[in-house]
Amino acid sequence: MTQFIRMMKDEEGATAIEYGLIAALISVAAITAMGALGGQLSTLFGTVTTSLR
């Protein structure tokens, strides 16, 4: 029983999980932003290519 209580008071694992969740959230935000910008950049480069021909 004391080992269980000690395990419940240990917060090192919780900190690692929080950092993992933060990293996952940042990754999802970056992927979403890159996806949105990707379409716009494709259109822009297409326009530039057409103008240069």
Side-chain angles (χ1 to χ4, degrees):
M1 186 70 170
T2 58
Q3 187 177 14
F4 178 74
I5 293 171
R6 215 174 321 135
M7 183 177 72
M8 292 302 290
K9 289 182 180 180
D10 186 16
E11 294 184 4
E12 289 181 23
T15 303
I17 291 171
E18 289 169 358
Y19 284 132
L21 290 173
I22 291 169
L25 181 63
I26 290 171
S27 298
V28 168
I31 290 168
T32 303
M34 288 178 199
L37 288 176
Q40 292 175 356
L41 285 176
S42 178
T43 303
L44 176 66
F45 285 126
T47 304
V48 170
T49 301
T50 303
S51 297
L52 291 175
R53 291 184 183 179

